[in-house]
Amino acid sequence: MKNLVNQLSFFKKSILCFGLVVMASLSFSACTDLSEEVFSEVTESNFVASESDIIAIMASAYTPLRYVMAWQGLFDLQEEPADALVTPTRPNGWDDAGTYKRMHFHEWTKTEWQPRNTWVTCFNGINAANRVMLQMESGKFPITEEQKTAILAEMRAVRALYYSILVDTHGNVPIIPNYSDQLPVQNTRTEVYNFIISELNEVIPNLASKVDKSTYGRMTQWAAYHVLARVYLNAEVYSGTPQWQKCIEACNKIIESGLFKKSDSYKAIFNATNETNPEMVFAIPYDQLYAPGFSAHMKMLLPGHRRVFGMEAQPWGGSSCNPQFIDTYNPKDNRLEDTWLMGNQYSADDGSIVFALTKAMPSITFCEETEGFRCGKYQIQRGARTDLNNDFPFLRYTDVLMMKAECLLRTGQSSEAATIVTEVRTRSFDNAADALVTGTELQANSVFKYGTLAKNGTIDQLGDQTAVPYGRFLDELGWEFAAEGRRRTDLIRFGVYQKKNWYNHVPKGDYTTLFPIGLEEMNTNKNLKQNPGY
């Protein structure tokens, strides 16, 4: 995709230069013979689409995905209502009309930006995919039948990817099978779930199976199997019927391909040149100049981190980590330091202490600038701007391993699950013995001390203290995938999101597992019915 953007930029510059040449030629028309001899011409009948032409057309269906890591995008929607990241009011602002408090308290409104941005982003992508399919099926674009089959399969797969987000966030959304100007009719969450499953199973045989630069950032067979596995993993939430074995089968397809492997380095998965990382099943490519959008670091880092990392941009310092989540880590787990910026922060230039971060966060209503550990998972290069170069690992191989492990655990195969989890943990512990975990441990309660916090950090209101089934496995997901825009989904699947107290949050009920459909969408489409509870 980065190469594609560069190609398109070059193309536009070429068109501009060509135009200037034409204008210059016309200015001398009075003394110039304009008769010309045509040696060749490209017409609709003889034009043959190249691979780059096809990619350029399909790119419009992928572009909306860049809003995942953008301001109040899917990343925020998945993290702000969950139990790890919090955005308190700070001395430099961050009240933002109460939006982050409402997200934390699960008191969002029908005009809240985060849910609506995700709705709009996904349907922009769905409409773009449908538009490309209409172009291909019209017969006006010169492609072979083989090319047409591959393009239609890929567009249906990326459309299913968008629906896999919507079935999780809004549930009851319209299924739009083709490009149309008609008001879409709303479907039930179960119907959307079935549509995703059907689409992916149908198109997988016609998707690319190779993994190289030409398929990077695109829906391949393996990316489709990964989406399929994720949807099956949450099938009980989406449809009422668990599908653990089908999730295992989809995961096995990816594992048995031998095309991916667990990265030797945890930090390397998230660095600024991670496009060659072996974990990337499906990445969202970013480039600070040509494919901007990765701005989550601006929200999480302090203004003073400009000196710490030698940044060109100055971050805004909003989000930090709930101390309760930090306390769940084993101190020997290197993912603690690989994920969170803690304690003294040193100047990139002279090594002096710029400031110190503290774990304590007294209240979402007000925290000092340096209160709360910050996310340092995504590499910040010297000279970093408002947009990063890091590609986002939307679907990575360790997730495949952990999905299989969870399904094994839930189907009574705890020893096999523990073997996989131990394999994942080994990367982040210096001593292999410390990485070892048993099936019995994975079935135990979560180590997270749930309950709302008083300003001094003690638990003020316990709330529901019943054991979380397989809660220790949920902890493993938290440590491995912290700040990767998925915590809300995991909490819902384990029954924590709708029942437990954390930080300043008190649960509001099952209805909050879906977001409301935006007021503007409701007003412009009479076919939509609001989700229950709103």
Side-chain angles (χ1 to χ4, degrees):
M1 291 288 282
K2 289 181 180 179
N3 291 336
L4 169 61
V5 176
N6 287 329
Q7 291 170 9
L8 293 177
S9 176
F10 174 77
F11 177 75
K12 286 188 282 188
K13 290 177 182 177
S14 299
I15 292 293
L16 175 61
C17 292
F18 176 77
L20 292 175
V21 170
V22 171
M23 290 173 64
S25 299
L26 291 177
S27 66
F28 292 100
S29 60
C31 57
T32 303
D33 182 5
L34 296 181
S35 61
E36 61 178 349
E37 182 179 358
V38 178
F39 294 96
S40 65
E41 65 177 357
V42 178
T43 66
E44 184 176 298
S45 61
N46 66 16
F47 173 67
V48 177
S50 67
E51 186 67 19
S52 60
D53 294 324
I54 293 170
I55 293 173
I57 290 174
M58 292 193 295
S60 63
Y62 288 97
T63 300
L65 284 170
R66 294 212 305 265
Y67 287 95
V68 164
M69 296 299 284
W71 182 258
Q72 296 188 343
L74 180 63
F75 179 87
D76 274 8
L77 191 65
Q78 288 283 66
E79 298 292 349
E80 290 286 352
D83 60 2
L85 282 177
V86 184
T87 305
T89 300
R90 306 276 186 183
N92 65 334
W94 287 103
D95 184 72
D96 288 11
T99 185
Y100 301 112
K101 294 182 183 64
R102 290 192 296 274
M103 294 299 289
H104 180 70
F105 295 139
H106 295 189
E107 295 175 349
W108 38 72
T109 68
K110 288 175 281 189
T111 58
E112 214 71 63
W113 275 108
Q114 290 94 329
R116 184 162 186 267
N117 283 346
T118 295
W119 173 288
V120 171
T121 294
C122 288
F123 277 110
N124 281 344
I126 290 165
N127 288 335
N130 284 339
R131 183 176 62 248
V132 172
M133 286 190 278
L134 176 63
Q135 288 176 290
M136 298 304 109
E137 291 173 324
S138 69
K140 294 182 179 180
F141 196 78
I143 53 174
T144 65
E145 280 301 312
E146 183 180 3
Q147 287 175 316
K148 179 180 176 181
T149 298
I151 294 168
L152 294 180
E154 186 172 344
M155 290 298 95
R156 287 172 67 184
V158 74
R159 183 177 65 185
L161 172 62
Y162 286 114
Y163 272 114
S164 75
I165 297 171
L166 287 170
V167 75
D168 188 74
T169 58
H170 293 81
N172 306 294
V173 302
I175 295 173
I176 307 176
N178 48 55
Y179 195 70
S180 171
D181 58 0
Q182 301 296 313
L183 285 176
V185 176
Q186 190 172 22
N187 294 89
T188 67
R189 195 181 203 185
T190 301
E191 288 172 338
V192 177
Y193 163 82
N194 288 331
F195 175 76
I196 298 166
I197 299 300
S198 174
E199 285 289 285
L200 290 174
N201 279 320
E202 280 189 29
V203 303
I204 281 174
N206 295 316
L207 293 172
S209 60
K210 63 181 178 181
V211 176
D212 57 21
K213 290 181 179 179
S214 70
T215 59
Y216 184 76
R218 295 170 61 184
M219 289 298 292
T220 61
Q221 287 186 11
W222 320 114
Y225 275 125
H226 199 142
V227 175
L228 194 62
R230 276 197 176 183
V231 175
Y232 280 139
L233 182 69
N234 294 284
E236 190 169 14
V237 175
Y238 302 157
S239 71
T241 303
Q243 296 289 355
W244 311 122
Q245 187 56 42
K246 288 185 178 180
C247 179
I248 291 174
E249 291 168 3
C251 290
N252 282 341
K253 291 288 188 180
I254 303 169
I255 295 169
E256 292 164 4
S257 75
L259 296 170
F260 309 93
K261 70 174 185 176
K262 181 166 61 75
S263 174
D264 294 334
S265 164
Y266 185 75
K267 288 186 69 68
I269 303 168
F270 312 100
N271 69 26
T273 54
N274 57 351
E275 58 268 18
T276 59
N277 193 279
E279 287 220 10
M280 295 293 200
V281 179
F282 179 80
I284 300 176
Y286 288 94
D287 184 278
Q288 64 181 10
L289 293 178
Y290 300 109
F294 197 137
S295 61
H297 64 298
M298 297 296 290
K299 181 168 174 276
M300 296 185 284
L301 301 182
L302 277 68
H305 275 117
R306 181 178 186 179
R307 290 178 57 197
V308 173
F309 294 109
M311 300 174 67
E312 182 177 312
Q314 180 168 290
W316 310 316
S319 304
S320 50
C321 189
N322 176 8
Q324 292 164 294
F325 187 79
I326 294 293
D327 289 341
T328 66
Y329 281 88
N330 182 331
K332 296 179 181 179
D333 189 340
N334 293 321
R335 289 172 297 191
L336 176 60
E337 291 191 5
D338 288 345
T339 304
W340 305 106
L341 300 172
M342 306 175 289
N344 291 338
Q345 304 293 291
Y346 300 95
S347 168
D349 296 322
D350 59 20
S352 63
I353 297 175
V354 180
F355 58 88
L357 292 169
T358 62
K359 184 177 71 174
M361 292 171 56
S363 171
I364 195 171
T365 58
F366 185 81
C367 282
E368 296 293 346
E369 184 180 61
T370 56
E371 289 180 325
F373 295 157
R374 306 306 169 93
C375 179
K377 191 168 199 170
Y378 303 95
Q379 182 189 12
I380 306 296
Q381 291 179 302
R382 179 178 282 274
R385 304 180 180 184
T386 303
D387 298 288
L388 295 183
N389 287 316
N390 314 49
D391 292 348
F392 181 63
F394 192 81
L395 304 173
R396 63 182 179 95
Y397 185 64
T398 300
D399 182 36
V400 177
L401 298 178
M402 293 297 280
M403 284 192 291
K404 180 176 180 178
E406 180 177 339
C407 293
L408 289 170
L409 186 66
R410 290 180 181 272
T411 54
Q413 303 170 79
S414 61
S415 295
E416 293 87 343
T419 299
I420 295 174
V421 176
T422 297
E423 176 193 345
V424 170
R425 286 169 58 85
T426 300
R427 172 173 59 193
S428 297
F429 285 82
D430 296 331
N431 188 331
D434 293 325
L436 185 65
V437 66
T438 68
T440 300
E441 288 175 317
L442 292 178
Q443 295 177 77
N445 190 24
S446 169
V447 301
F448 196 115
K449 303 300 182 185
Y450 283 105
T452 53
L453 299 184
K455 287 189 176 182
N456 64 2
T458 62
I459 292 182
D460 180 50
Q461 185 177 345
L462 286 171
D464 185 335
Q465 289 293 305
T466 57
V468 178
Y470 312 109
R472 182 63 174 72
F473 186 88
L474 174 63
D475 296 336
E476 292 290 345
L477 295 178
W479 301 324
E480 178 66 24
F481 301 109
E484 293 188 41
R486 57 173 284 164
R487 183 64 174 171
R488 168 189 158 274
T489 300
D490 290 338
L491 291 182
I492 291 172
R493 190 171 65 256
F494 282 82
V496 169
Y497 183 85
Q498 54 273 51
K499 295 179 181 178
K500 299 292 185 180
N501 297 35
W502 61 80
Y503 194 55
N504 296 159
H505 165 83
V506 176
K508 300 300 186 295
D510 289 345
Y511 79 93
T512 60
T513 58
L514 286 178
F515 291 105
I517 299 172
L519 183 61
E520 186 169 341
E521 282 65 47
M522 293 291 296
N523 289 339
T524 55
N525 186 352
K526 59 180 175 52
N527 295 327
L528 297 179
K529 181 181 179 182
Q530 186 57 266
N531 282 330
Y534 301 105

